[in-house]
Amino acid sequence: MTEFFQDPPRLGNQYDDDALLRAYLRWRLPGKMLGEIEPGLRQLGHRAATDILALGEAAESSPPTHVPYDAWGRRVDRIETSDAWRELDRISATEGIVATAYERKHGAHSRIDQFARLYLFAPSSALYSCPLAMTDGAARFLEVHGDESVRPVLAHLTSRDPAEFWTSGQWMTERTGGSDVGGTSTIAACEENDAYMLYGSKWFTSATTSQVAMTLARIEGAPAGSHGLSVFLVNLRGPDGTLRNIHVERLKDKLGTRALPTAELTLEGTPAQLVGGAGDGIRKIATLFNVTRVYNAVAGVAGMRRAIALASDYARRRHAFGKPLIEHPLHVETLAEMQLEFRGAFLLAFRVVELLGKEECGDATEAELRLLRFLIPVVKLYTAKQAIAVASEALEAFGGAGYIEDTGIPRLLRDAQVLSIWEGTTNILSLDALRAMERSDALTVWAADVRQRLQGIKNAGLSSCAERAIGALQRIEDYSARAASAGTEFQQAGARAFAFAVARTEAAALLIEQANAQGDQAAVTAARRWCERELAHLTDADAAHRAESASLEHSQ
């Protein structure tokens, strides 16, 4: 009897093996620029399957620990992370995962270069992409709203030198607030010389080992609600390395992102610097959220790509019923559906990357600025939900091995689940998209943009796809007009389905555009299959529908 051991899945160079990434970069970047950056991307793709991957696995196996007291009973609140986690920090600096965006060597296209790097790095990094997201968001906030006094911090956040590179935390979530950030109860007391001290609790603070953090607080005497909040920069530690009047209550025991230190904090007179002036903090902090939500989207599609790469390789190594899984037609259909979801989500994520780059370099038109504001919440919520679905499908593609922790496969799903929660839940972002429409007539701008792009389609084989996308767009416009006259409750009850319809229709336009520009069979097939779906499945949430929903909810 011969003993059998299943060959596990293996990863190759994550740049060379990613046909969609390479095709996208050929499509969207000037040839000279691509020639300059491609060697670095290829090298990073190799590292993502070798040393970075090994470091990510090591960091996962050695999660952070909280040391509240030293041996003599002194409160120290030290958070200890693994050597691997700290090495990932150094690599992220030298690879320029944040810095590339702020060097702006290639103008607006620099964001594409940067997010391509993040896309390769993130799935192997044990979610080190999270502190990088908050660091980039903080850097952009300080760049836009800060004065000369914060320039040294900005220089640290955007450095390529590991000895100089800092990361930033993001402290928004409180027991009283959660998604309703207007409920923030942290108080900022103004001391001498306009110095502020923060008092309050932060219930969920990721990357708590960072050097600085951005947070919201209410200056004493400021009005209640979101308009009364202000944005503060906190330098976490004094010259001796100890936390500045910050108590770490505990580290959070999370479903996933286990290598990432996430803590519950109490601020007891923590020194902080007001940035951007007093008040109206929610509007100002959107500068930061725009960046972190794009990170969320790109990390989501990167996770989808990793799940598919592993499942596809495994299908070629695993035999069942006399042949490899990849020779079973139904399994091929399953992998193809995963690939289709990934393609649509990838193009959505990099669509907002392109717009973000234009906005930051002053190259965006007024219409493109409105598109960015509208599409960021839509793209973030859609890519997050689809990342979870693809991760779940990938686990199933491995059978029982997908449910065993030491294969590493369950991490795909555990880590994906957070994507629909942090940086705004699906419902919160759906309502955010409605606000963008109310404030700037963004739907009209988006609809005109989609129509204009689809009018340029020359490939006759894609004409029916364009017709279906235009049909979905018309249904979305008709629904929006009906919802506006039906009232707020109608709009809000149908907001999630509406956001998904916008995302699917935008993805359809992008898939059609790419297939038209590059013409390869896989791109044409993806556009056709995507457009064969129901793109605009909308909810007529009238009073009768809402009453039925209430009765279903109460029926347990």
Side-chain angles (χ1 to χ4, degrees):
M1 177 179 176
T2 302
E3 193 171 13
F4 172 76
F5 294 97
Q6 175 59 48
D7 195 18
R10 294 183 175 86
L11 293 174
N13 185 303
Q14 290 302 283
Y15 180 75
D16 286 338
D17 288 355
D18 194 330
L20 180 59
L21 173 62
R22 290 184 288 107
Y24 168 79
L25 295 177
R26 289 195 306 272
W27 177 35
R28 305 306 292 171
L29 294 182
K32 181 180 178 182
M33 175 185 170
L34 181 57
E36 290 179 13
I37 70 172
E38 191 166 45
L41 294 174
R42 179 166 287 112
Q43 176 61 22
L44 184 55
H46 171 72
R47 298 190 73 182
T50 53
D51 64 312
I52 295 174
L53 179 62
L55 288 167
E57 291 171 348
E60 278 288 318
S61 66
S62 299
T65 57
H66 174 215
V67 180
Y69 301 97
D70 70 10
W72 306 101
R74 296 182 183 87
R75 185 84 185 232
V76 292
D77 278 330
R78 188 170 65 251
I79 298 174
E80 296 183 347
T81 57
S82 65
D83 291 342
W85 184 255
R86 294 191 294 275
E87 182 60 23
L88 288 166
D89 176 81
R90 289 188 284 271
I91 290 172
S92 69
T94 58
E95 290 288 349
I97 307 252
V98 174
T100 299
Y102 293 87
E103 293 162 352
R104 301 193 173 107
K105 180 180 178 182
H106 298 287
H109 289 129
S110 297
R111 274 294 186 186
I112 298 178
D113 180 11
Q114 181 225 358
F115 275 105
R117 293 171 184 274
L118 174 77
Y119 170 84
L120 294 169
F121 175 81
S124 297
S125 72
L127 266 292
Y128 206 83
S129 53
C130 172
L132 297 181
M134 295 184 291
T135 300
D136 197 339
R140 182 60 181 158
F141 184 90
L142 297 178
E143 186 178 53
V144 172
H145 298 287
D147 56 23
E148 287 301 315
S149 67
V150 301
R151 296 305 168 192
V153 175
L154 178 60
H156 280 295
L157 299 178
T158 58
S159 176
R160 285 180 181 262
D161 182 352
E164 296 294 324
F165 179 59
W166 287 3
T167 57
S168 174
Q170 180 176 303
W171 301 352
M172 306 298 168
T173 305
E174 300 188 0
R175 296 190 194 98
T176 54
S179 295
D180 182 8
V181 181
T184 294
S185 59
T186 297
I187 295 298
C190 187
E191 307 290 337
E192 294 181 4
N193 301 319
D194 292 327
Y196 287 89
M197 301 292 180
L198 303 185
Y199 298 86
S201 297
K202 297 295 181 180
W203 190 81
F204 195 96
T205 67
S206 284
T208 319
T209 51
S210 294
Q211 290 85 355
V212 295
M214 305 299 300
T215 191
L216 290 167
R218 197 178 310 279
I219 296 172
E220 285 183 314
S226 60
H227 291 295
L229 294 174
S230 300
V231 184
F232 291 86
L233 171 67
V234 180
N235 279 276
L236 273 63
R237 293 169 181 81
D240 62 353
T242 59
L243 291 170
R244 304 168 79 197
N245 300 336
I246 300 170
H247 281 179
V248 179
E249 304 300 339
R250 57 175 171 163
L251 291 181
K252 297 296 193 180
D253 185 9
K254 299 166 293 179
L255 171 68
T257 69
R258 293 176 179 175
L260 172 67
T262 304
E264 184 175 342
L265 306 177
T266 299
L267 312 180
E268 298 182 339
T270 304
Q273 179 179 355
L274 178 67
V275 183
D280 209 14
I282 298 296
R283 180 187 62 80
K284 295 169 187 170
I285 206 71
T287 303
L288 185 155
F289 287 149
N290 280 347
V291 174
T292 56
R293 286 170 176 173
V294 175
Y295 265 78
N296 203 96
V298 173
V301 297
M304 295 167 77
R305 159 66 188 153
R306 178 58 55 85
I308 293 167
L310 291 169
S312 180
D313 186 75
Y314 186 71
R316 287 160 171 80
R317 299 178 186 276
R318 177 66 174 172
H319 285 68
F321 305 105
K323 56 185 177 181
L325 291 178
I326 199 64
E327 295 181 12
H328 290 273
L330 185 54
H331 198 74
V332 173
E333 288 299 312
T334 303
L335 294 174
E337 279 297 305
M338 294 166 65
Q339 182 70 236
L340 182 59
E341 283 296 337
F342 161 64
R343 280 177 169 266
F346 177 97
L347 293 177
L348 282 172
F350 277 87
R351 169 71 166 145
V352 291
V353 167
E354 291 181 35
L355 290 171
L356 182 66
K358 286 186 172 184
E359 185 263 343
E360 291 177 347
C361 290
D363 295 342
T365 64
E366 179 60 33
E368 287 172 327
L369 293 175
R370 294 185 186 184
L371 281 175
L372 180 64
R373 171 69 181 87
F374 179 54
L375 288 177
I376 280 180
V378 169
V379 170
K380 188 277 184 184
L381 72 86
Y382 186 82
T383 54
K385 296 298 279 188
Q386 299 316 103
I388 297 167
V390 167
S392 179
E393 197 70 73
L395 261 67
E396 187 175 342
F398 280 88
Y403 203 65
I404 305 302
E405 281 288 353
D406 58 7
T407 65
I409 305 303
R411 261 181 57 199
L412 299 171
L413 184 56
R414 287 193 284 102
D415 287 348
Q417 186 61 61
V418 77
L419 295 169
S420 64
I421 298 173
W422 60 20
E423 308 308 325
T425 64
T426 306
N427 286 356
I428 290 296
L429 293 172
S430 298
L431 298 175
D432 194 25
L434 292 185
R435 284 190 290 272
M437 291 164 50
E438 293 168 1
R439 292 171 182 171
S440 67
D441 197 20
L443 185 68
T444 299
V445 173
W446 172 69
D449 178 71
V450 171
R451 284 194 173 91
Q452 181 181 18
R453 287 151 54 200
L454 291 180
Q455 284 173 359
I457 302 304
K458 305 299 183 185
N459 187 328
L462 294 168
S463 59
S464 63
C465 298
E467 290 172 5
R468 288 184 62 84
I470 292 294
L473 180 62
Q474 186 62 56
R475 291 194 297 278
I476 290 169
E477 290 179 300
D478 293 345
Y479 174 88
S480 179
R482 189 163 67 255
S485 63
T488 300
E489 290 189 352
F490 184 106
Q491 289 176 309
Q492 292 186 356
R496 179 186 285 225
F498 180 82
F500 271 69
V502 170
R504 292 191 189 101
T505 304
E506 174 66 26
L510 291 165
L511 288 162
I512 293 167
E513 283 185 287
Q514 186 189 28
N516 182 68
Q518 297 188 305
D520 67 281
Q521 188 54 51
V524 172
T525 298
R528 178 174 52 79
R529 289 196 175 187
W530 188 277
C531 292
E532 286 171 352
R533 298 173 166 185
E534 176 55 67
L535 300 177
H537 182 72
L538 299 158
T539 302
D540 281 313
D542 58 15
H545 176 93
R546 298 196 302 274
E548 290 175 347
S549 297
S551 69
L552 280 174
E553 192 280 324
H554 290 309
S555 65
Q556 76 272 21

